[in-house]
Amino acid sequence: MASIQDVARLAQVSTATASRALSRPDMVATTTRDRVLHAARQLGYQPNVIARSLRQGETRTIGVIVTDILNPFHAQLAKGIQDAADRHGYTAFLFNSDEDPAKERRAIETLRGHLPQGLIIVPTSGARENLAALSGVPIVELDRVTGTPAVTTVTADNAAGAAAATRHLISLGHTRIGMIVGQQDISTATQRHDAYRSALEDAGLTYDPALVLPGNHREDDGHRAATRLLTLPEGRRPTALFIGNNEMTVGAVLAARALNLSIPTDLSIVGFDDSRWAQTMTPPLTVVAQPTYDLGTQAAEQLIQQLRRPRDGPPLHIQLSTTLIVRHSTSPPRTPALTHH
Amino acid sequence: MASIQDVARLAQVSTATASRALSRPDMVATTTRDRVLHAARQLGYQPNVIARSLRQGETRTIGVIVTDILNPFHAQLAKGIQDAADRHGYTAFLFNSDEDPAKERRAIETLRGHLPQGLIIVPTSGARENLAALSGVPIVELDRVTGTPAVTTVTADNAAGAAAATRHLISLGHTRIGMIVGQQDISTATQRHDAYRSALEDAGLTYDPALVLPGNHREDDGHRAATRLLTLPEGRRPTALFIGNNEMTVGAVLAARALNLSIPTDLSIVGFDDSRWAQTMTPPLTVVAQPTYDLGTQAAEQLIQQLRRPRDGPPLHIQLSTTLIVRHSTSPPRTPALTHH
DNA sequence: CTGAAAGCGCTAACAA
DNA sequence: TTGTTAGCGCTTTCAG
């Protein structure tokens, strides 16, 4: 590959001039600049960013760690980040933690060697310790939050979303509303759970811990939890389910089908996070939609802005709003009378 | 961040020895080695891979370009690649071309500056020229093929898959089988199309160009093409559709629904590429499944093997087999008599 | 077995 | 406006 030396030689200038002609065109005479540019084009010159990074101590690279690239939610976050980073001339290094703190740690270590100028992370439950290894690098926590002081966060308004979902079910007349909630050490899970609980209590309903089951964000977990909830004895069984993330919702819907419960007649369901699957399943799913792509771009924009000029004040906490989209997976509960039809 | 100089100083050795102790432990006395290792750990030393790459001319990095990370098929390819690369100590740089040759070109240029030691690419229609910029770098074409001589390819057996799909529909009694096919300059599209045509002709059916509509791999394209095909006058309208990729299949299913055609009664559908969506839609979709994750890992394994020791003979063309999964979106066509029921 | 020194490709002082 | 030179952090000759 042609180096800047080759370009300099061909243009009959020093490497310094060649370098300047390419990166600070105005510092160089027009005629020489043209000579250099021409030589560069002729040789197909592409700067060696490795050498440049080493010299400048700036890699123009940001690290990105999501927990599951196979989850469309995360794929969309990643795309938002990449598109925005790209617009600003940064390259994003994408890693997967698979929701596993050990993998996350390895990703961080690998990343560290590449000297990323910043990191956008959807943290696992072990992130707080893992992140300690990266001191000095600006961090943006995306979607979830570890509670580490002084880091920027970009999240959706989980509380409002969960409250809207719960109130929607209550307004339809449901009184036994179950919830399948993510890991309790993940902020999104606790926020959604807390809001669900408050909404219930605000409406004068009692919060019943027996109707709340945990899962680890995966489809299986949703399936398992839903099966348990839906096989509760009649009269104790929830007539509606609010499910804390997209993957578990899939599992729950399949569990309901396996039990021959028809949605929404026998069971109302509200999921968190919209997706094509939610839109096209039968019946189309009522969900709390998140501005997923925007979450990604916002995270990147915030990080890059911070790289350009480090903030001194308190860290920014950006929260994007969620919206309840009512489709056809929710309806009033079947009344006992009708059951005996 | 601690550099190797810091380690050397703390261990009271030269940087050369420190370097050796870390990367070639057997070239150094045990006692000094221990001193160095201890110092390194104490400082949290992480080698600067940028500097190392510059020195060695080896970045231990491979480039990956897929056409659409939001498509679960591509997400899975990417994951397979990353997991395999990781196992071999390589870092994968992931880019998106969005099926756009111009974006692909930009991705290749950015990548080039990072000196990837190899590239795995799902090529767009413009890839052949774009790839010229990367001469000298081993390339693996994944899923699709540009026909460039001497590059390794890893693909699914598209012909067998498409033939199986078509024969399945024929064996159910369909005679008017439409196809929605991808861009004609994409190898997978033409292979699937050719196999469909041959299967038809082998069964003594005539290939009707009016029943074959092109699309650009996206959901909309599938929707549009299906709508046109399904609004053909009765008697000309296809009773079955074979659709050339996963995204277009979604569009086609939605188009059928919009036209109030019930699947499979009014219309049989076979899609290419399995997905959770295909498995859980109603009715579950008959598809040609591909070993997606394995395609990814194979591509990475082949590339890395090639990096270790460059092949001299002709390039490898790896083909993984596809399987027809018959679910419930296909059935015999409705007979005219029944139509008047 | 260890150290001194060179150099990967680039850019930023500094001089001219 | 241009050239000379040093040095980013690392590994690898080459001597000792």
Side-chain angles (χ1 to χ4, degrees):
Chain A
M1 258 209 16
S3 79
I4 202 166
Q5 310 226 34
D6 301 323
V7 175
R9 199 175 314 125
L10 183 58
Q12 318 230 50
V13 294
S14 72
T15 59
T17 309
S19 171
R20 278 189 288 252
L22 293 164
S23 35
R24 293 201 198 339
D26 41 312
M27 285 184 64
V28 111
T30 15
T31 70
T32 35
R33 177 170 66 220
D34 291 347
R35 272 218 318 288
V36 172
L37 260 44
H38 183 253
R41 207 164 313 117
Q42 191 173 335
L43 295 171
Y45 172 72
Q46 184 77 18
N48 180 332
V49 303
I50 305 264
R52 174 187 292 168
S53 299
L54 183 61
R55 171 65 232 241
Q56 300 190 321
E58 285 197 358
T59 55
R60 295 230 131 211
T61 274
I62 64 176
V64 179
I65 303 180
V66 298
T67 60
D68 179 11
I69 190 67
L70 260 30
N71 180 335
F73 175 72
H74 291 261
Q76 205 137 352
L77 292 180
K79 183 136 208 286
I81 295 171
Q82 280 207 326
D83 288 353
D86 196 52
R87 277 197 293 279
H88 293 283
Y90 282 79
T91 304
F93 249 150
L94 180 64
F95 289 80
N96 253 280
S97 64
D98 285 333
E99 206 72 77
D100 172 0
K103 268 201 173 182
E104 181 182 62
R105 161 161 224 101
R106 293 224 337 264
I108 288 175
E109 266 159 19
T110 311
L111 215 40
R112 199 151 77 97
H114 288 273
L115 305 186
Q117 295 190 246
L119 173 67
I120 298 175
I121 185 168
V122 179
T124 70
S125 56
R128 213 155 159 175
E129 300 100 76
N130 287 343
L131 249 20
L134 266 183
S135 66
V137 178
I139 292 174
V140 173
E141 292 179 349
L142 177 57
D143 178 50
R144 310 164 177 179
V145 141
T146 63
T148 311
V151 318
T152 305
T153 64
V154 175
T155 55
D157 190 345
N158 294 295
T166 311
R167 281 198 300 262
H168 168 62
L169 291 169
I170 294 171
S171 76
L172 286 170
H174 292 275
T175 54
R176 288 196 309 284
I177 301 172
M179 176 167 185
I180 301 176
V181 58
Q183 280 188 102
Q184 279 307 306
D185 40 8
I186 298 291
S187 68
T188 48
T190 55
Q191 286 171 357
R192 292 169 195 176
H193 176 240
D194 291 351
Y196 150 86
R197 178 176 192 151
S198 305
L200 244 34
E201 292 171 346
D202 288 354
L205 295 172
T206 55
Y207 168 86
D208 180 355
L211 296 187
V212 177
L213 252 40
N216 191 12
H217 308 272
R218 300 279 164 83
E219 179 182 330
D220 310 3
D221 300 300
H223 196 287
R224 209 168 312 125
T227 303
R228 267 187 58 197
L229 249 18
L230 298 176
T231 50
L232 248 32
E234 188 62 40
R236 301 223 42 217
R237 175 169 85 63
T239 58
L241 242 35
F242 170 46
I243 300 147
N245 90 336
N246 59 354
E247 299 279 313
M248 294 194 297
T249 305
V250 176
V253 167
L254 298 183
R257 281 192 197 161
L259 292 170
N260 261 313
L261 294 172
S262 90
I263 301 169
T265 326
D266 301 319
L267 177 72
S268 287
I269 288 194
V270 182
F272 211 104
D273 189 38
D274 198 13
S275 66
R276 179 158 67 197
W277 185 85
Q279 290 166 44
T280 61
M281 69 162 267
T282 30
L285 199 73
T286 295
V287 296
V288 178
Q290 308 188 68
T292 317
Y293 184 84
D294 289 348
L295 283 168
T297 53
Q298 270 302 315
E301 297 285 353
Q302 288 309 323
L303 182 60
I304 289 167
Q305 198 168 310
Q306 213 171 127
L307 296 181
R308 286 206 222 289
R309 111 160 80 112
R311 286 177 50 84
D312 31 4
L316 242 43
H317 297 294
I318 302 210
Q319 194 174 57
L320 304 188
S321 59
T322 51
T323 43
L324 177 71
I325 301 180
V326 177
R327 292 202 271 249
H328 303 287
S329 64
T330 47
S331 74
R334 213 210 267 262
T335 64
L338 283 170
T339 326
H340 291 265
H341 244 348
Chain B
M1 260 208 14
S3 78
I4 201 165
Q5 311 225 33
D6 301 323
V7 176
R9 196 174 316 122
L10 184 58
Q12 318 229 51
V13 294
S14 70
T15 60
T17 308
S19 170
R20 279 189 287 251
L22 293 165
S23 34
R24 294 201 195 338
D26 40 312
M27 285 184 66
V28 113
T30 15
T31 71
T32 33
R33 176 170 68 218
D34 292 347
R35 271 217 318 287
V36 173
L37 260 44
H38 182 254
R41 205 163 316 118
Q42 190 173 335
L43 295 172
Y45 172 71
Q46 183 78 15
N48 178 332
V49 304
I50 305 261
R52 175 187 290 169
S53 298
L54 184 61
R55 170 67 231 242
Q56 300 189 319
E58 282 198 359
T59 55
R60 294 232 131 208
T61 273
I62 63 176
V64 179
I65 304 179
V66 298
T67 59
D68 181 10
I69 191 67
L70 261 29
N71 180 334
F73 174 73
H74 290 263
Q76 204 138 355
L77 291 179
K79 181 130 208 286
I81 294 171
Q82 280 207 326
D83 289 352
D86 196 50
R87 277 197 292 279
H88 293 284
Y90 282 79
T91 303
F93 248 151
L94 181 64
F95 288 81
N96 252 279
S97 65
D98 284 333
E99 205 72 77
D100 172 1
K103 268 202 173 179
E104 182 182 61
R105 158 161 228 99
R106 292 223 339 264
I108 288 176
E109 267 160 18
T110 311
L111 213 41
R112 199 149 77 98
H114 288 273
L115 305 184
Q117 296 190 247
L119 173 68
I120 297 175
I121 186 170
V122 179
T124 71
S125 57
R128 213 157 157 172
E129 299 100 74
N130 288 343
L131 249 20
L134 266 183
S135 67
V137 178
I139 292 172
V140 173
E141 292 179 350
L142 177 57
D143 178 49
R144 310 163 177 181
V145 141
T146 63
T148 312
V151 318
T152 304
T153 65
V154 175
T155 56
D157 190 345
N158 294 295
T166 312
R167 280 196 302 262
H168 168 62
L169 291 169
I170 295 171
S171 75
L172 287 171
H174 291 276
T175 53
R176 287 196 311 282
I177 302 171
M179 175 167 187
I180 301 176
V181 58
Q183 278 189 103
Q184 279 306 305
D185 40 9
I186 297 290
S187 68
T188 47
T190 56
Q191 286 170 358
R192 291 169 196 175
H193 176 240
D194 292 351
Y196 151 86
R197 177 175 192 153
S198 304
L200 243 35
E201 291 171 345
D202 288 354
L205 295 173
T206 56
Y207 169 85
D208 181 356
L211 296 186
V212 177
L213 252 40
N216 190 14
H217 309 271
R218 300 281 164 81
E219 179 182 330
D220 310 3
D221 300 300
H223 197 286
R224 210 169 310 126
T227 303
R228 268 187 58 197
L229 250 17
L230 298 176
T231 49
L232 248 30
E234 188 63 38
R236 301 220 43 216
R237 175 169 84 65
T239 58
L241 244 33
F242 170 46
I243 299 147
N245 90 336
N246 60 352
E247 298 281 311
M248 292 195 298
T249 304
V250 176
V253 167
L254 298 183
R257 281 191 197 162
L259 293 170
N260 262 310
L261 295 172
S262 90
I263 301 171
T265 325
D266 301 317
L267 177 71
S268 286
I269 289 193
V270 182
F272 211 105
D273 191 37
D274 199 13
S275 65
R276 179 161 63 196
W277 185 85
Q279 290 165 44
T280 60
M281 68 162 268
T282 29
L285 198 73
T286 296
V287 296
V288 177
Q290 309 187 69
T292 316
Y293 184 84
D294 289 348
L295 283 168
T297 52
Q298 269 302 314
E301 296 285 353
Q302 287 309 321
L303 182 60
I304 289 166
Q305 197 168 313
Q306 213 172 126
L307 295 180
R308 286 208 220 289
R309 113 159 81 112
R311 285 177 50 82
D312 29 6
L316 241 44
H317 297 294
I318 302 208
Q319 194 174 58
L320 304 187
S321 58
T322 51
T323 41
L324 178 71
I325 301 180
V326 176
R327 293 201 269 251
H328 303 288
S329 64
T330 47
S331 73
R334 213 210 266 264
T335 64
L338 283 171
T339 325
H340 292 266
H341 243 347

